[in-house]
Amino acid sequence: MLMTPGPTAVPAPVRDAMSRELINPDVDPEFHRIYDRLTDRLATVYGVDTDGPAGESTRDVVVPGGEGILGLEAAIASLVEPGTEVLCLSNGLYGDGFADFVADYGGEATLVSTDYDDSLPLAELESVLDDHSFDVATMVHCETPTGTLNDLEPALDLLAEADGEILTVVDAVSSLGGVRVPTERIDVCLGASQKCFSAPPGLTTAAISDRAWAAMEEREPHSLYTNFLPWRDTDEGFPYTHLTTEVVALDAALGLWLDEGLDAVRERHRAAAARCRERGAELGLAPYSDPERSSPTVTAFAVPGRAQELQTRLREEHDVLLATGLAYLADDILRIGHMGHNARVERVDEVMDALEDVL
């Protein structure tokens, strides 16, 4: 049983869709129809309007070919040039990583960070905003390595109050689809196929505001592949041959998601997370981050010095695959991905029964 926080288990209807005859994305009009339907479905998930009058909630949704990390790099590559001032707000590995991308593309990164088990450092953010001006700000909604769901609203409020021109970039890869994301307040909101949508890895998703597009058009492009701008208008073709099977798979996965309904999907994630933590408490396990800030999509249990041993025993003795922590927490965190197709109480119970056996 695959219960990692991405890639997640792919349900049978999605696998069936992938097995159909291959479509040529460069010459077959049917592929364009599928891609357009996919972006419409994603707009519903993001909660944005792609066709209405210009306004705060209007966003274009694009789906480039490339695993989710492509979106993080492409957002920086598309908005940052030498001298661009970027504020990177962080309480985790991926939040820190934005600063590395900024440096790679010649920008000036100011990392406002805290310990990985803390909430976003809002006091430090306010202080930095008082002293500096920024062009772009980055942050992470769900820090997957620690299972932390960040409340972005206070940070977005501070950024708006300080300078309404700051472009916001948010990694919502591990939350989009399982929990509400305030996309209407974000200029570039990033997702991916292999998390809460339960499609295979291979696609980045992004909801992009008009002002973010305008900023991209003002910058000299660094590359084709790590560049969102060529995806703004695909009526005449895609920037490169698209990943046909992955697009068909994500479209099928989103069809299942929308048939179930937004509220039902989110409730299923909430219930699975609650059950996971309830069972964990019975075993003497606590989430690494504060339970009030733990994500509905992933639980990261603190198991100091035992994560890799437990992961191995679960795989070998119970055929259950979980993830450990990353970086310096590699052996101290065991992560259960109750997201997408796996966000079901019965699946959580099966995992926790196995975990109880190996503890």
Side-chain angles (χ1 to χ4, degrees):
M1 174 186 288
L2 179 64
M3 287 288 286
T4 57
T8 54
V10 177
V14 178
R15 299 197 303 272
D16 290 343
M18 296 172 66
S19 69
R20 296 171 193 157
E21 185 176 359
L22 187 68
I23 303 171
N24 187 314
D26 298 319
V27 299
D28 192 336
E30 176 62 18
F31 182 80
H32 284 263
R33 286 191 287 270
I34 293 172
Y35 180 83
D36 289 344
R37 183 175 65 199
L38 170 60
T39 56
D40 286 344
R41 287 173 165 176
L42 278 167
T44 300
V45 176
Y46 273 110
V48 296
D49 184 0
T50 59
D51 298 316
E56 177 173 56
S57 63
T58 302
R59 301 290 186 274
D60 291 326
V61 176
V62 298
V63 187
E67 191 272 339
I69 202 72
L70 170 68
L72 278 64
E73 182 171 357
I76 300 305
S78 300
L79 292 171
V80 172
E81 59 188 357
T84 302
E85 294 284 347
V86 184
L87 187 155
C88 302
L89 184 64
S90 173
N91 62 344
L93 186 70
Y94 287 106
D96 290 351
F98 268 123
D100 295 330
F101 282 133
V102 171
D104 289 343
Y105 286 91
E108 301 294 329
T110 298
L111 180 61
V112 179
S113 63
T114 187
D115 293 338
Y116 288 4
D117 58 351
D118 284 344
S119 57
L120 289 174
L122 297 177
E124 292 84 348
L125 171 62
E126 189 169 15
S127 176
V128 167
L129 289 171
D130 285 341
D131 296 333
H132 296 81
S133 60
F134 296 96
D135 304 299
V136 178
T138 68
M139 64 195 83
V140 177
H141 193 209
C142 175
E143 274 285 358
T144 327
T146 58
T148 301
L149 185 73
N150 288 315
D151 181 4
L152 301 182
E153 298 284 2
L156 293 170
D157 287 342
L158 288 173
L159 291 166
E161 291 165 7
D163 182 352
E165 299 303 311
I166 298 174
L167 295 169
T168 52
V169 174
V170 170
D171 168 2
V173 168
S174 295
S175 55
L176 182 68
V179 63
R180 183 186 176 277
V181 182
T183 312
E184 72 281 357
R185 303 191 63 189
I186 298 165
D187 290 294
V188 181
C189 188
L190 303 164
S193 56
Q194 77 271 23
K195 301 286 187 175
C196 295
F197 300 136
S198 289
L203 296 176
T204 282
T205 73
I208 302 176
S209 72
D210 288 342
R211 67 190 200 127
W213 287 126
M216 292 177 195
E217 289 172 347
E218 292 173 358
R219 286 157 174 74
E220 191 70 29
H222 300 285
S223 73
L224 170 66
Y225 200 76
T226 55
N227 185 1
F228 278 131
L229 198 55
W231 291 90
R232 188 176 190 182
D233 184 359
T234 58
D235 287 344
E236 300 302 319
F238 298 97
Y240 47 81
T241 299
H242 216 325
L243 282 64
T244 312
T245 303
E246 282 75 12
V247 168
V248 169
L250 182 55
D251 179 62
L254 285 168
L256 297 176
W257 194 97
L258 293 172
D259 285 345
E260 185 176 355
L262 182 150
D263 292 337
V265 170
R266 291 179 182 167
E267 174 57 26
R268 181 160 54 74
H269 281 77
R270 186 207 62 77
R275 182 60 172 166
C276 186
R277 289 153 202 167
E278 176 187 0
R279 291 289 305 275
E282 293 170 358
L283 300 178
L285 298 176
Y288 175 81
S289 62
D290 187 319
E292 294 299 315
R293 292 187 285 105
S294 293
S295 175
T297 60
V298 53
T299 294
F301 285 121
V303 290
R306 296 195 63 191
Q308 294 177 46
E309 168 221 339
L310 293 171
Q311 181 193 49
T312 298
R313 290 189 60 194
L314 284 164
R315 184 181 69 248
E316 293 179 350
E317 299 173 23
H318 295 276
D319 195 28
V320 170
L321 185 59
L322 304 184
T324 61
L326 299 177
Y328 72 92
L329 293 170
D331 202 30
D332 297 329
I333 286 178
L334 189 67
R335 295 183 292 151
I336 300 173
H338 36 72
M339 57 172 60
H341 183 63
N342 285 337
R344 303 180 190 279
V345 168
E346 60 272 19
R347 286 177 175 261
V348 168
D349 277 333
E350 186 173 344
V351 170
M352 299 308 291
D353 287 346
L355 184 55
E356 181 177 13
D357 183 67
V358 301
L359 281 172

